[in-house]
Amino acid sequence: MINKKPYVISGIAKETPDVTLFRFRAQDGSTLSFDPGMFIMLHYRNPQTGEEIGRAFSLASRPDDTELEFAISMIHGKFTSKLDDAKIGDVYFVTGPYGQFKYTPAENKKVLFVAGGTGLAPFLSMLRLIGEKKYDTDVELIYSIRHPEEIIRKQELEDYKKSMHFNYVVSVTRQETDEDMRWQGEHGHIDAQMIERHVLDAAERTCYICGPLKFTKAIEAALISLGVDKKNIKADVWGE
Ligand SMILES: Cc1cc2nc3c(=O)[nH]c(=O)nc-3n(C[C@H](O)[C@H](O)[C@H](O)COP(=O)(O)OP(=O)(O)OC[C@H]3O[C@@H](n4cnc5c(N)ncnc54)[C@H](O)[C@@H]3O)c2cc1C
């Protein structure tokens, strides 16, 4: 049986209309060892029935952080509806870390991150590590969201532009609100032309994609059409 470790909620912060940042601290004070890009299984245990439900969440925090941070889309599904009522001090259970979607600083000096919505989470962990350790990694990020107010950790991304070899582009996919129309950045789904407009040397980079299956497939095809070798593309697929 897998040993599920108790973690206590230490922070809850609404980041965007749909995304909340949750912080968890291990009840025994230990630090989880992981590579940026990996995920854990977070389990909720019903205190009355003992029944459990678990879901995968990418670690957004830095590997040496004493707390784990997650950026969670509050879609009011089976698991996320438990988090709707979560309070500081509540206990959840963690297994992991898991996954092969890893950023390895020594091997990946030039990278391209492509995020769909909350798919930014593993890239936050990678950027936080690069920033903290002052690695000379050349990072380009292309980030797709529906509306401008959905940008997660906007100020943090802006700060990295000043302190690291980092650039990012946000594409807004919807044209529904005045704010959508006023958006000065890119509009529409990310495609090969959009990538090429901002990243001329994609073929020289290790490319990481994170988001739903349709998104990761479309981006992978776009990158291949730009000459990126399939072996230099890593994808973290979150669902259909
Ligand atoms: C490796 C991995 C890492 C993940 N990391 C994260 C993360 O960091 N943050 C995060 O928010 N999620 C992440 N997910 C998704 C997460 O595991 C859950 O699937 C998600 O939280 C929904 O669970 P739920 O029980 O609330 O919804 P469910 O009750 O299981 O699903 C309800 C319905 O909503 C649909 N749905 C699922 N996700 C979304 C969505 N984002 N928007 C709209 N509809 C959706 C489902 O297809 C289903 O029809 C990750 C998934 C994987 C596989």
Side-chain angles (χ1 to χ4, degrees):
M1 203 170 107
I2 306 169
N3 186 23
K4 296 187 183 117
K5 215 167 164 172
Y7 273 71
V8 178
I9 298 184
S10 52
I12 303 173
K14 194 170 161 72
E15 173 67 10
T16 73
D18 298 323
V19 174
T20 300
L21 299 178
F22 287 91
R23 294 188 72 85
F24 286 81
R25 189 188 293 274
Q27 218 167 34
D28 66 3
S30 62
T31 307
L32 184 73
S33 170
F34 67 92
D35 288 316
M38 296 180 85
F39 69 93
I40 53 88
M41 291 297 297
L42 189 62
H43 306 264
Y44 168 82
R45 188 174 294 165
N46 183 314
Q48 272 83 45
T49 62
E51 220 174 292
E52 286 191 5
I53 174 169
R55 291 286 185 270
F57 292 100
S58 293
L59 290 143
S61 42
R62 238 183 28 229
D64 56 353
D65 201 330
T66 51
E67 294 181 339
L68 306 181
E69 186 175 66
F70 306 101
I72 301 188
S73 287
M74 303 300 279
I75 61 161
H76 318 295
K78 286 197 187 77
F79 187 89
T80 46
S81 60
K82 309 293 178 206
L83 290 172
D84 281 332
D85 304 322
K87 307 178 296 305
I88 304 283
D90 284 356
V91 177
Y92 278 66
F93 296 84
V94 168
T95 52
Y98 307 106
Q100 294 307 312
F101 189 71
K102 293 180 195 172
Y103 160 73
T104 325
E107 289 162 30
N108 310 130
K109 301 270 188 213
K110 277 180 93 170
V111 294
L112 167 60
F113 298 158
V114 188
T118 323
L120 184 74
F123 301 130
L124 280 178
S125 181
M126 297 180 193
L127 287 165
R128 287 168 171 177
L129 178 76
I130 295 166
E132 167 72 11
K133 302 285 184 203
K134 303 201 182 333
Y135 291 131
D136 187 28
T137 314
D138 172 346
V139 187
E140 296 279 353
L141 163 69
I142 306 183
Y143 178 21
S144 168
I145 46 171
R146 291 168 306 176
H147 308 286
E149 75 264 25
E150 293 177 351
I151 301 176
I152 297 169
R153 302 292 297 167
K154 187 175 182 188
Q155 191 54 52
E156 185 176 339
L157 295 177
E158 286 297 315
D159 291 346
Y160 289 145
K161 263 168 71 169
K162 293 178 210 134
S163 63
M164 292 169 22
H165 197 159
F166 170 66
N167 229 323
Y168 80 106
V169 176
V170 174
S171 187
V172 165
T173 59
R174 303 280 173 94
Q175 300 257 331
E176 291 161 1
T177 65
D178 290 348
E179 219 196 324
D180 296 344
M181 302 301 191
R182 279 198 298 271
W183 180 249
Q184 299 280 317
E186 286 282 0
H187 284 271
H189 293 292
I190 300 169
D191 58 14
Q193 288 73 28
M194 192 189 293
I195 297 170
E196 214 173 15
R197 270 199 293 284
H198 301 280
V199 187
L200 288 170
D201 58 356
E204 293 168 24
R205 294 174 182 268
T206 307
C207 301
Y208 294 79
I209 316 165
C210 184
L213 182 63
K214 242 172 99 176
F215 177 86
T216 56
K217 277 196 155 171
I219 305 297
E220 186 174 341
L223 290 171
I224 288 170
S225 80
L226 292 172
V228 180
D229 194 326
K230 214 170 170 208
K231 74 174 189 333
N232 292 331
I233 303 176
K234 298 170 192 275
D236 202 26
V237 185
W238 281 9
E240 308 123 43

